């Protein structure tokens, strides 16, 4: 499925979960880097965690600082969800969580639901 083909501007993604090893954010950034040759896209990473500096370094090494803003932990996410197209959760194992329900409330599509 070509999820960004109909977008006239950037296709906007959000990752809004803890930035930890089991959340697989390093994989997400590498996959996002590969998509840049095909799509105009932006991935906003909202959250903090033990792997935050590591994933920031990966984004920097892949020259993605402009396309991947890191916005830290946010208490109010509605401003993000009205702006993005897709929620991405590359976690290695995750039960249906609050972040998915919250994204759905704003009409944001997501992987796995």
């Amino acid at each position: 499925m070509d999820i960004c083909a109909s977008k006239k501007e950037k296709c906007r993604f959000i990752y809004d979960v803890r930035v930890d090893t089991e959340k697989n954010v390093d994989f997400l950034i590498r996959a996002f880097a590969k998509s840049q040759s095909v799509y105009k896209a932006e991935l906003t990473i909202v959250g903090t965690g033990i792997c935050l500096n590591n994933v920031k370094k990966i984004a920097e090494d892949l020259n993605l600082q402009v396309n991947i803003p890191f916005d830290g932990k946010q208490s109010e996410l509605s401003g993000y969800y009205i702006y993005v197209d897709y929620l991405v959760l590359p976690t290695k194992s995750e039960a249906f969580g609050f972040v998915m329900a919250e994204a759905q409330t704003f009409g944001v599509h997501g992987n796995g639901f």
Side-chain angles (χ1 to χ4, degrees):
M1 178 169 76
D2 195 346
I3 60 175
C4 291
S6 65
K7 298 295 290 179
K8 293 178 182 172
E9 296 180 22
K10 287 183 180 179
C11 194
R12 291 179 173 88
F13 298 87
I14 189 169
Y15 170 86
D16 170 31
V17 187
R18 199 169 21 93
V19 184
D20 266 331
T21 306
E22 71 274 5
K23 300 299 182 180
N24 222 13
V25 185
D26 55 336
F27 169 80
L28 173 60
I29 291 174
R30 288 184 181 96
F32 183 79
K34 290 180 181 183
S35 77
Q36 293 301 290
S37 64
V38 179
Y39 301 111
K40 290 181 186 177
E42 180 179 272
L43 168 64
T44 301
I45 296 182
V46 178
T48 61
I50 61 172
C51 295
L52 183 60
N53 289 334
N54 182 47
V55 296
K56 281 184 176 181
K57 175 78 170 107
I58 293 169
E60 183 180 306
D61 290 347
L62 293 169
N63 220 11
L64 293 171
Q65 304 91 309
V66 172
N67 295 13
I68 302 181
F70 289 85
D71 287 357
K73 185 174 174 85
Q74 303 293 318
S75 59
E76 178 57 49
L77 293 166
S78 61
Y80 287 92
Y81 285 128
I82 61 172
Y83 180 69
V84 301
D85 301 299
Y86 299 95
L87 168 71
V88 288
L89 295 172
T91 183
K92 295 175 183 174
S93 64
E94 184 82 39
F96 185 86
F98 179 74
V99 69
M100 288 191 253
E102 187 174 38
Q104 285 179 327
T105 300
F106 288 97
V108 174
H109 304 284
N111 65 332
F113 63 91

